[in-house]
Amino acid sequence: MKKIGVLTSGGDSPGMNAAVRAVVRKAIYHDLEVAGIFHGYQGLIEGNMKKLELGDVGDIIQRGGTALYSARCAEFKEEAGQLKAVEQLKKNNIDGLVVIGGDGSYRGALALTKLGFPCVGVPGTIDNDIPGTDYTIGFDTALNTVIESIDKIRDTATSHDRSFIIEVMGRDAGDLALWSGLAGGAETILIPEVPSDISEIARRLKRGKDRGKKHSIIVVAEGVMSGQALKEQLLEKADIDAHVSVLGHIQRGGSPTARDRVIASQLGAKAVEVLLNGDGGMAVGIQNREIIAYDFEEVFNGNHKFDDRMYNLSNELSI
Ligand code: F6P
């Protein structure tokens, strides 16, 4: 292995830059050359890349977003696009590729591995939804962004005795909603992993009201339904008129927390080690605080772990 490539793909997440920096510096430390590929798989297909030196990744560890840019690339989902990518990798004498992204990006990395090109996946997504790892880069920063918003909404909810629905991202996973709901003291949390019962939610809200609670915070994961749809159901079925706040892409931005920077550095470095060992078709991650590498197939055969104890706790604490 003499030269590796690195790209970021899919939805950006805070800490991706710290991961890129770690990949580049760890690789150079081991006398490897690094090509930074811009705009994810789209850039790979087009050969949009440049040699990265130590200084190219200076001053990015604290920045949100991705200095390599990102994209969602439809062409790469087809084999023809993947073959073009392999051609570019060969043309540029790249021997291994580090892909930083979510499960869609991993699918691409698996496809390249199956075409004979060694790839390693680094989990970068605010959704915290990749099977096989307890954590994905960006989750902690996004979580703190959500909590900051919930705290602010709570101020106005309290002042006006209002109910608020806060819709958070997470795609099909409820981690962001569950963690932020618990940390933000939400009365009710709706996540895709647990079927929602609107009558039960209404009953809980009413019970709080009867006890003298004048405001309420309801956190709904986008994978359950939109905040607006929930508002309509609560109004129709329980005569509760809630205000809706959709946090949207604000959740993806911002300077990464210390946790995201440290974990991104560890995982980026681990990915280079995996390639140096001659292994491809692997993902890196954390399990029980250990930095690990595991087979890509596990990502696609496994399920994202849902912490039902935490869900039960949030219900107990919000009576
Ligand atoms: O996967 C990250 C994520 O932010 C999800 O939480 C969200 O559903 C999706 O990406 C939004 O994607 P886009 O920015 O392409 O609309």
Side-chain angles (χ1 to χ4, degrees), residues 11-12 72 125-127 129 169-171 176 222 249 252:
D12 60 344
R72 298 197 193 274
T125 164
I126 63 164
D127 300 338
D129 62 347
M169 281 185 169
R171 209 179 280 279
L176 208 44
E222 65 176 355
H249 286 80
R252 286 233 299 256

Side-chain angles (χ1 to χ4, degrees), residues 14-194:
M16 277 184 162
N17 281 327
V20 170
R21 172 181 177 271
V23 169
V24 172
R25 296 214 167 158
K26 176 87 176 175
I28 294 176
Y29 181 86
H30 288 283
D31 294 325
L32 294 176
E33 193 179 310
V34 190
I37 298 157
F38 298 102
H39 297 284
Y41 291 119
Q42 190 62 50
L44 178 55
I45 288 173
E46 293 162 2
N48 183 2
M49 57 185 82
K50 108 171 210 226
K51 180 178 176 184
L52 295 179
E53 308 283 4
L54 292 174
D56 289 319
V57 290
D59 202 23
I60 63 168
I61 195 167
Q62 79 286 8
R63 281 200 236 145
T66 161
L68 290 181
Y69 305 97
S70 193
R72 298 197 193 274
C73 176
E75 188 181 355
F76 188 74
K77 289 192 179 138
E78 308 298 328
E79 200 184 27
Q82 294 158 9
L83 288 170
K84 279 191 202 166
V86 174
E87 213 177 285
Q88 284 290 356
L89 287 161
K90 285 192 180 147
K91 194 172 122 193
N92 287 280
N93 300 316
I94 297 174
D95 309 308
L97 179 67
V98 177
V99 171
I100 305 168
D103 60 350
S105 311
Y106 276 27
R107 245 171 246 287
L110 177 63
L112 288 181
T113 303
K114 284 188 172 159
L115 288 171
F117 195 87
C119 292
V120 177
V122 175
T125 164
I126 63 164
D127 300 338
N128 205 35
D129 62 347
I130 298 188
T133 180
D134 297 341
Y135 189 78
T136 64
I137 299 162
F139 177 68
D140 189 57
T141 309
L143 175 60
N144 280 287
T145 302
V146 175
I147 291 165
E148 207 180 304
S149 305
I150 293 180
D151 290 348
K152 287 181 175 159
I153 289 170
R154 182 181 286 284
D155 287 345
T156 175
T158 315
S159 305
H160 289 266
D161 295 345
R162 280 175 174 162
S163 294
F164 267 88
I165 295 167
I166 302 170
E167 180 193 313
V168 304
M169 281 185 169
R171 209 179 280 279
D172 299 321
D175 283 36
L176 208 44
L178 180 55
W179 283 68
S180 64
L182 182 57
E187 273 66 32
T188 304
I189 303 168
L190 280 77
I191 53 175
E193 293 84 351
V194 179

